[in-house]
Amino acid sequence: MAVETSRRDFIGMAFGGFAAAGGVIALGAMKKTWDPLPSVQSAGFITVDLSPMKEG
């Protein structure tokens, strides 16, 4: 038994595919935004010795 796909079903599936692709692109853009800048990443970490400080 063959399943007939109507034009409305095709348009719905095509829209769903475009929406999914747009969601993946949006998530990729958000991840790129949250990543640290290369200049910040290459700077490394700064360590500070707090042992000479007195309590209080």
Side-chain angles (χ1 to χ4, degrees):
M1 186 165 124
V3 177
E4 290 185 27
T5 304
S6 69
R7 182 179 292 180
R8 183 177 293 222
D9 292 337
F10 174 75
I11 290 172
M13 287 187 285
F15 176 74
F18 282 119
V24 168
I25 291 171
L27 287 174
M30 283 194 294
K31 185 204 175 299
K32 188 176 180 181
T33 301
W34 290 332
D35 284 344
L37 294 173
S39 61
V40 173
Q41 196 170 11
S42 65
F45 294 100
I46 298 174
T47 57
V48 179
D49 183 21
L50 298 179
S51 60
M53 293 184 69
K54 294 182 181 176
E55 188 176 331

